[in-house]
Amino acid sequence: EVQLLESGGGLVQPGESLRLSCAASGFPFSSYAMSWVRQAPGKGLEWVSAIGGSGAYTYYADSVRGLFTISRDNSKNTLFLQMNSLRVEDTAVYYCAKGKEVGGTSRYFDPWGRGTLVTVSS
Amino acid sequence: QSALTQPASVSGSPGQSITISCIGTSSDVGGHNYVSWYQQHPGKAPKLLIYDVSNRPSGVSNRFSGSKSGDTASLTISGLQAEDEADYYCCSYTTSSTLYVFGSGTKVTVL
């Protein structure tokens, strides 16, 4: 069974940093792109960032480019999101999701983890 | 990149069919067949319903179907059931500065 488990969320002050992790199991981790998607309280879904299977290619939403860094450790089946200079508007539940298969053509997110809550407040 | 446009809410009676629209542009919905749909119940993670416009993953009820015409994608739920009451989001691959864009979300109410 494919499982994704996020961790690392919490309460931080504006301007501080936080590193999220997503532990993956049940599939060949390095064969799939991975994404982070966030959801502010009471709001819709927002794609944040994606990384290719090898980690060589990374992509970001305009809202976080230059502030967040996505990475992965394929030896530990773990995805990361380093979030710097956090703003109040970054407050959200952050989900990791399994993405496109390397060499595949379909593009979708399945499955999703349960999410980890990041709260940015003074 | 603005969110894809979805109606804020759609409602229907049990057994009826409803359709949720997802309006984008030629850079996203209209330019590719990489539209997916997700169902989210309160407090839960989103669940994939449809991928690549009209494909249904194994385990997803055949009451859910997807289609696309031009810059507009659609999700149809037939034989509406109480358990279908949830939020629904479309998502598209995009050639804009970002990689993916989600829809604004639609709350489905079963009357």
Side-chain angles (χ1 to χ4, degrees):
Chain A
E1 179 191 5
V2 174
Q3 289 193 338
L4 300 171
L5 183 61
E6 302 93 337
S7 61
L11 173 63
V12 297
Q13 295 190 340
E16 293 187 339
S17 299
L18 207 57
R19 189 194 199 200
L20 304 184
S21 299
C22 171
S25 62
F27 66 101
F29 185 65
S30 62
S31 294
Y32 289 85
M34 297 292 294
S35 274
W36 289 97
V37 179
R38 69 183 179 183
Q39 185 170 37
K43 302 297 184 181
L45 300 173
E46 180 188 15
W47 176 80
V48 172
S49 182
I51 186 168
S54 68
Y57 298 98
T58 58
Y59 310 86
Y60 299 93
D62 292 341
S63 57
V64 305
R65 186 175 291 114
L67 300 174
F68 292 6
T69 302
I70 190 171
S71 62
R72 63 193 296 161
D73 184 340
N74 286 344
S75 69
K76 297 182 179 179
N77 290 355
T78 304
L79 175 72
F80 302 101
L81 186 67
Q82 176 67 42
M83 304 184 295
N84 296 332
S85 302
L86 282 161
R87 305 157 296 183
V88 171
E89 54 264 38
D90 294 319
T91 295
V93 173
Y94 284 74
Y95 297 100
C96 70
K98 174 172 161 279
K100 176 182 174 298
E101 184 176 11
V102 173
T105 56
S106 294
R107 292 179 176 272
Y108 53 84
F109 307 117
D110 180 57
W112 300 52
R114 293 185 176 183
T116 186
L117 177 62
V118 172
T119 303
V120 185
S121 174
S122 55
Chain B
Q1 174 75 51
S2 300
L4 306 175
T5 301
Q6 297 181 232
S9 63
V10 173
S11 62
S13 299
Q16 286 186 330
S17 293
I18 61 170
T19 297
I20 302 169
S21 60
C22 171
I23 303 172
T25 69
S26 58
S27 294
D28 38 66
V29 175
H32 314 277
N33 286 325
Y34 297 131
V35 176
S36 51
W37 289 89
Y38 303 88
Q39 176 192 60
Q40 186 180 35
H41 286 105
K44 300 295 187 180
K47 171 190 173 184
L48 176 68
L49 292 178
I50 297 289
Y51 68 94
D52 294 354
V53 175
S54 59
N55 292 299
R56 200 171 42 248
S58 60
V60 173
S61 171
N62 58 10
R63 297 186 299 104
F64 296 94
S65 61
S67 62
K68 190 186 85 166
S69 177
D71 295 342
T72 301
S74 300
L75 174 72
T76 297
I77 309 175
S78 58
L80 200 61
Q81 299 179 0
E83 67 207 49
D84 299 332
E85 192 161 285
D87 293 325
Y88 292 81
Y89 295 90
C90 61
C91 180
S92 176
Y93 172 77
T94 174
T95 52
S96 70
S97 58
T98 184
L99 193 62
Y100 292 99
V101 58
F102 278 93
S104 48
T106 299
K107 181 177 181 58
V108 168
T109 301
V110 181
L111 302 172

